[in-house]
Amino acid sequence: TMLATVVFDLTVAIILGVIYSAILYVARSSRIHVAFSTIDGNRLRYDVGKSPILDSAGVVYVTGSLFFGAVDEFNHRLQDIPEEDHLILSLRGMPSVDVSGAQAVLELCESLQKQGKTVACCGMADGVRTYFDRTGITVLLGETAYFWNAEDAILDLLSAEIAE
């Protein structure tokens, strides 16, 4: 019986340790950072001069995995970004997304498009792109809204402005 008590105590300690670790993991993982930046034409590799379209555009940098535990924080952080006509979502710092996270991005894109704004995405991991395809974000935005990096997305905005 002494051995059984020790084994039971050890088992309980291990289970409590696993539960504690899981809670810590979820708490850490649910942190998502959303930062907004205006576009400085002087920082581009090309001289674009003073372009009006850049004054109405901005880049949103998302850092952290966007899963069910982080969706509320993601939506809350997005409320603080300025109203811009052209938004570029830089997702290089977002290694993964789940269905609820992709749904949040879809709702954001739909809302912005209804307001007549454009949305582009850049720096997506393959797994994130797969979820975007499944959720309908790719169909909504179009393949041409995906870029390797923010600079390519900005240059595309500039070429669209020149075409007008």
Side-chain angles (χ1 to χ4, degrees):
T1 60
M2 179 77 144
L3 180 62
T5 306
V6 169
V7 169
F8 177 77
D9 289 347
L10 262 174
T11 305
V12 169
I14 290 170
I15 290 170
L16 289 175
V18 168
I19 291 170
Y20 179 71
S21 296
I23 290 169
L24 275 181
Y25 173 77
V26 169
R28 279 198 190 122
S29 301
S30 65
R31 288 195 195 123
I32 191 153
H33 300 281
V34 177
F36 176 82
S37 175
T38 55
I39 296 170
D40 180 1
N42 298 324
R43 291 181 56 208
L44 295 172
R45 278 177 295 178
Y46 308 95
D47 180 20
V48 297
K50 185 76 178 121
S51 173
I53 202 164
L54 294 187
D55 293 335
S56 63
V59 182
V60 175
Y61 296 93
V62 182
T63 309
S65 294
L66 183 54
F67 75 112
F68 70 95
V71 167
D72 285 343
E73 182 70 13
F74 175 74
N75 289 331
H76 178 70
R77 300 260 180 211
L78 283 171
Q79 291 172 356
D80 298 334
I81 65 169
E83 297 267 330
E84 299 287 358
D85 293 335
H86 309 283
L87 215 54
I88 298 166
L89 298 176
S90 177
L91 307 176
R92 194 165 310 285
M94 190 172 90
S96 60
V97 67
D98 71 359
V99 174
S100 56
Q103 186 65 36
V105 174
L106 176 65
E107 288 168 10
L108 169 70
C109 293
E110 286 173 339
S111 169
L112 291 168
Q113 280 193 344
K114 281 180 188 158
Q115 299 169 45
K117 300 172 188 292
T118 68
V119 182
C121 298
C122 64
M124 274 186 289
D126 291 341
V128 173
R129 170 64 196 262
T130 301
Y131 268 100
F132 278 31
D133 291 349
R134 285 187 197 154
T135 321
I137 297 168
T138 304
V139 170
L140 178 71
L141 298 180
E143 292 280 344
T144 57
Y146 290 164
F147 298 90
W148 176 250
N149 57 36
E151 186 171 37
D152 290 347
I154 293 164
L155 292 172
D156 185 69
L157 266 181
L158 290 166
S159 65
E161 181 186 46
I162 292 164
E164 288 176 10

